[in-house]
Amino acid sequence: MLNKFLSKRSSALALSVKALGAAALIAVAAPAAAHVDYVDLSDPFLSPGGVNGGTFSNYGWYDGTTQTLGDTHQLAQGQFFKFHLTQDSKITINFSDDGNTGLLNPSFSLYAGLLPDEAHDDATTDPLNPNHFVATPTPHTVYDASPVDNGVTTDAAGHVSPFRDTANIHNFKGQFDALHDWSMANEEGAWAVILYQTHVATTGGANIATLSNYFLRAGDYTIAAAGNVNCGSNVSCPNTNLPGTISLSVTAVPLPASAWLFVSAISGFWLNRRNKATYQAA
């Protein structure tokens, strides 16, 4: 009787171990969902001197230049960089390969605006490769137009969505576009477009990418950074663990003399009208 009981317990334990093993395999096999995690270069405590870093892939930025776009998880493991300008400024951005390995080809794109917190590729309201199944007369998959990335829909700020031809291109890797406006949403339904400003790309084993004295209006900005390596079908090429550093310096642009004259003229006009109204009232 005891032996029979122990035998049953051993069988149950073995089944549990097998189930846990299968679950672990499924978890490993499942694609990683990139949720936007911003590092704030304007935060003096988080990024002293406008400097911060991360771990980058050598191909993440390059993929964003291709027809099927890039997986945001392959930039810096889903990490983006942001900064805020309180007034019009000239900025300088440096993105360097910390190890001077020549393997990264550091490259980055600069956008106006911010993506929603916890946004990711293939959100419910902004699907990556939307499709539906048709059972009759012959079972097949029909690929649909994107419900938001259609070149018409506008986000909360009034920015027009980019166009992704999901009806004809069925294998988008992600939504990161290194050379144009693009968008993402989160699972709470927040969706936003960020507006492409410029990019810097390096090749040939370069160890630093630099954007110097670039003029920007006051506002919020996003930097998406990774490597510019075309790995193609070379399975030994991809490298996702290359440490890099992003640095930002900002120089405020003073108002030109003509602007100050305009402000002075407006102020003088307003004071003159107020004095005149006061005199008439008296």
Side-chain angles (χ1 to χ4, degrees):
M1 187 78 175
L2 178 60
N3 289 337
K4 188 174 181 181
F5 172 76
L6 291 174
S7 176
K8 286 183 177 179
R9 290 294 300 269
S10 298
S11 298
L13 179 60
L15 287 172
S16 298
V17 170
K18 285 182 180 179
L20 287 171
L25 286 173
I26 291 171
V28 169
H35 290 71
V36 169
D37 179 19
Y38 272 113
V39 171
D40 190 353
L41 296 174
S42 299
D43 186 327
F45 299 102
L46 180 65
S47 305
V51 178
N52 212 305
T55 302
F56 303 85
S57 76
N58 63 340
Y59 59 89
W61 188 87
Y62 171 82
D63 280 357
T65 68
T66 66
Q67 184 182 47
T68 53
L69 303 182
D71 179 351
T72 53
H73 194 263
Q74 302 307 327
L75 292 169
Q77 301 180 1
Q79 180 174 281
F80 290 74
F81 299 84
K82 69 177 180 179
F83 60 93
H84 176 74
L85 300 177
T86 57
Q87 67 183 84
D88 297 354
S89 303
K90 286 186 177 180
I91 58 103
T92 294
I93 298 170
N94 289 301
F95 173 30
S96 59
D97 174 354
D98 284 353
N100 293 324
T101 63
L103 300 176
L104 183 58
N105 285 342
S107 303
F108 62 89
S109 298
L110 174 65
Y111 307 87
L114 301 175
L115 294 165
D117 289 338
E118 297 302 307
H120 61 90
D121 295 313
D122 201 25
T124 302
T125 55
D126 190 5
L128 186 59
N129 294 296
N131 65 80
H132 67 278
F133 182 73
V134 176
T136 58
T138 303
H140 64 286
T141 298
V142 175
Y143 290 90
D144 305 318
S146 171
V148 289
D149 292 338
N150 50 26
V152 177
T153 303
T154 57
D155 67 8
H159 300 138
V160 178
S161 70
F163 176 69
R164 283 193 305 117
D165 192 6
T166 55
N168 295 300
I169 301 172
H170 312 148
N171 59 338
F172 283 101
K173 296 176 185 176
Q175 289 166 244
F176 165 58
D177 190 328
L179 305 176
H180 305 93
D181 302 348
W182 61 287
S183 70
M184 281 204 307
N186 61 25
E187 290 306 323
E188 285 68 48
W191 172 75
V193 178
I194 54 176
L195 308 176
Y196 171 81
Q197 304 296 299
T198 190
H199 74 274
V200 177
T202 67
T203 58
N207 289 316
I208 189 167
T210 300
L211 177 66
S212 298
N213 296 316
Y214 191 79
F215 177 79
L216 290 173
R217 296 291 185 186
D220 293 302
Y221 293 89
T222 292
I223 300 170
N228 183 30
V229 176
N230 178 9
C231 286
S233 58
N234 183 353
V235 295
S236 64
C237 169
N239 189 330
T240 59
N241 294 301
L242 295 169
T245 296
I246 301 274
S247 66
L248 169 74
S249 62
V250 178
T251 303
V253 176
L255 282 173
S258 58
W260 285 114
L261 287 173
F262 177 76
V263 170
S264 299
I266 292 295
S267 299
F269 176 75
W270 179 80
L271 286 171
N272 184 54
R273 289 199 54 158
R274 189 179 69 169
N275 291 338
K276 184 177 181 181
T278 304
Y279 174 77
Q280 289 175 344

